[in-house]
Amino acid sequence: MKKLIAILTIAAILGSSATFARDATVNNKKVMEAFKKEFVGASDVSWYTTADKYVAKFTIKSSKVTAHFDREGNLLATSRYITDSDLPLNVITRLMKKFPDQKIHNVVEYESEGATTYVITLESDTHWTVLKAASSGGLSTLKKLRKA
């Protein structure tokens, strides 16, 4: 679980930061082979590197996807924006029960180590609520922000 949280944190940092080097091509054959094998049909690929990871941002089947690879070409995690209708039924049901006065603003699906986690931003008239949901339906609140 700690590893998943660390990967999700890294994914959030990588997704929101422009301080990483951006490469037009990747000079790591293992990473490129793994990417081409895993994401056949990907387009508009942009690569970013950190000291120990490669990050690809691309489009596949009309979805914007981010994939994280280690230097050995192992896929560590993926993330993509999805719609609320793509959430598992048990997650939707739990959201409706616990937060009936809020609507879903956006959903990011994270996959790492065979586990799928969702970060869901809910909106009400007065605040935003950011939740983490497991595919099993478990919910935990990450942040609650007041609207200005």
Side-chain angles (χ1 to χ4, degrees):
M1 187 67 173
K2 288 181 183 178
K3 196 172 189 180
L4 176 62
I5 292 170
I7 289 174
L8 291 175
T9 302
I10 290 169
I13 291 169
L14 290 176
S16 65
S17 176
T19 61
F20 297 97
R22 181 176 180 192
D23 297 329
T25 59
V26 173
N27 293 327
N28 185 316
K29 188 176 179 179
K30 290 178 185 178
V31 171
M32 289 306 295
E33 287 175 357
F35 177 80
K36 289 177 183 177
K37 181 181 176 186
E38 190 73 33
F39 301 106
V40 176
S43 61
D44 302 322
V45 182
S46 297
W47 285 95
Y48 302 84
T49 59
T50 66
D52 60 345
K53 293 191 180 61
Y54 289 94
V55 179
K57 293 188 176 208
F58 56 95
T59 303
I60 191 164
K61 295 184 181 179
S62 301
S63 291
K64 301 255 184 216
V65 179
T66 302
H68 301 263
F69 293 89
D70 66 14
R71 297 230 174 252
E72 297 302 313
N74 298 308
L75 179 61
L76 301 174
T78 60
S79 64
R80 67 183 179 136
Y81 284 96
I82 63 171
T83 64
D84 55 351
S85 61
D86 294 325
L87 283 168
L89 184 58
N90 56 349
V91 173
I92 290 284
T93 304
R94 178 112 2 126
L95 284 171
M96 290 171 60
K97 285 180 185 175
K98 287 188 81 169
F99 303 95
D101 62 329
Q102 297 185 48
K103 65 180 181 176
I104 296 174
H105 182 69
N106 67 31
V107 181
V108 179
E109 174 189 72
Y110 292 95
E111 290 191 29
S112 177
E113 298 179 354
T116 303
T117 306
Y118 305 92
V119 175
I120 304 162
T121 303
L122 302 176
E123 180 180 13
S124 75
D125 292 337
T126 59
H127 62 275
W128 301 88
T129 305
V130 182
L131 306 169
K132 179 177 138 184
S135 54
S136 62
L139 296 174
S140 60
T141 302
L142 298 175
K143 291 181 189 176
K144 194 167 186 176
L145 307 166
R146 286 186 182 241
K147 289 185 174 180

